[in-house]
Amino acid sequence: MKYTIFLLFAVLMFAKYSSAQECPIKCAIESLINQKIQSSVDVTVSSFLAKTELICTTASARGADAHCPSGHKATGCACGMACGSWDIRGETSCHCQCAKIDWTSARCCRVGIVG
């Protein structure tokens, strides 16, 4: 029984110290690989973002609803008659919530790719 416990202890100690000695080399290689991958991703993302721009326009309409052009999302609204209560419906339309609104305006944006 004592022999079995001693053998188990010896195997565990060997496993601990052998993995600790491997790690500096193994960890250094993994770290270099991770840095190379991250660098590649950073370059790709940066070059893509440099080619994008936010394109915005304003859509206005009489009444309580204004709709954005195709491909645009509503980012904010304005209402006539000093109404400050509005909501965005379906991501593409502005709706003013006050009664008898004379006009509604929607700020509409999309992400564009610069040629």
Side-chain angles (χ1 to χ4, degrees):
M1 182 69 168
K2 289 180 183 179
Y3 181 73
T4 305
I5 292 173
F6 176 76
L7 186 61
L8 179 61
F9 181 73
V11 168
L12 290 174
M13 290 302 290
F14 177 75
K16 177 183 175 190
Y17 285 109
S18 67
S19 66
Q21 291 173 356
E22 286 178 14
C23 189
I25 296 169
K26 183 179 176 184
C27 293
I29 292 171
E30 287 179 359
S31 178
L32 288 173
I33 291 170
N34 288 340
Q35 287 176 356
K36 189 69 173 173
I37 291 169
Q38 187 62 47
S39 173
S40 176
V41 168
D42 289 346
V43 167
T44 303
V45 169
S46 294
S47 65
F48 176 76
L49 289 177
K51 296 177 186 176
T52 61
E53 65 180 348
L54 191 60
I55 302 167
C56 297
T57 187
T58 301
S60 298
R62 294 188 175 273
D65 296 295
H67 303 280
C68 291
S70 178
H72 288 73
K73 304 283 185 186
T75 59
C77 307
C79 305
M81 312 285 291
C83 177
S85 297
W86 52 267
D87 61 283
I88 296 175
R89 295 188 174 177
E91 297 183 352
T92 59
S93 299
C94 282
H95 173 75
C96 292
Q97 299 172 351
C98 300
K100 299 180 182 178
I101 294 296
D102 56 347
W103 61 267
T104 301
S105 178
R107 190 67 176 158
C108 307
C109 298
R110 67 177 177 87
V111 175
I113 307 275
V114 178

